[in-house]
Amino acid sequence: MDEAWTLNALSPLDGRYAKKLEPLRPLLSEGGFIAHRLRVEIEWLIALSDAGLPELAPYTPAARRRLRAIALIRAAPRAPRGSRRS
C-alpha cells in the first residue's frame, strides 16, 4: 500500500463500502486527522502570540494569513483512483 492510500484509509471497510464511505474520508482518515490537527496547532500558536508572552510577539495580520494558509495547503492528501496496491 502506498503512503497516500494509507493516510486516506478509514478501516477494513474501505474495500466493500469504499464508495459509501468516501464522504467521510477527509474527516475520519489519518490524513484528515493530520490536517485538522495542523489547523488546531496553528490557531494555538496564534493564540499564544496574543497572550503577551515575552518570548513570542503577536503576529501581524499578514503573518496570520500565511499561517492559516498552511493548513489549507496541507489538506489531507488524496490518492488517485486506481493507485491502490494489493
Side-chain angles (χ1 to χ4, degrees), residues 43-67:
E43 291 302 323
W44 178 245
L45 182 62
I46 291 170
L48 284 175
S49 79
D50 292 337
L53 301 172
E55 299 87 2
L56 186 60
Y59 288 111
T60 65
R64 291 167 191 256
R65 283 191 299 276
R66 284 194 304 267
L67 283 168

Side-chain angles (χ1 to χ4, degrees), residues 5 13-23 25 81:
W5 176 259
L13 296 174
D14 277 323
R16 183 181 295 180
Y17 302 105
K19 288 182 183 179
K20 291 183 181 187
L21 295 174
E22 188 66 31
R25 196 170 311 285
R81 281 285 198 222

Side-chain angles (χ1 to χ4, degrees), residues 3 7 10 23-25 28-29 45 47 51 54 60-61 65 72 85:
E3 186 176 327
L7 286 176
L10 294 175
L24 299 176
R25 196 170 311 285
L28 301 178
S29 65
L45 182 62
T60 65
R65 283 191 299 276
L72 296 175
R85 296 181 199 163

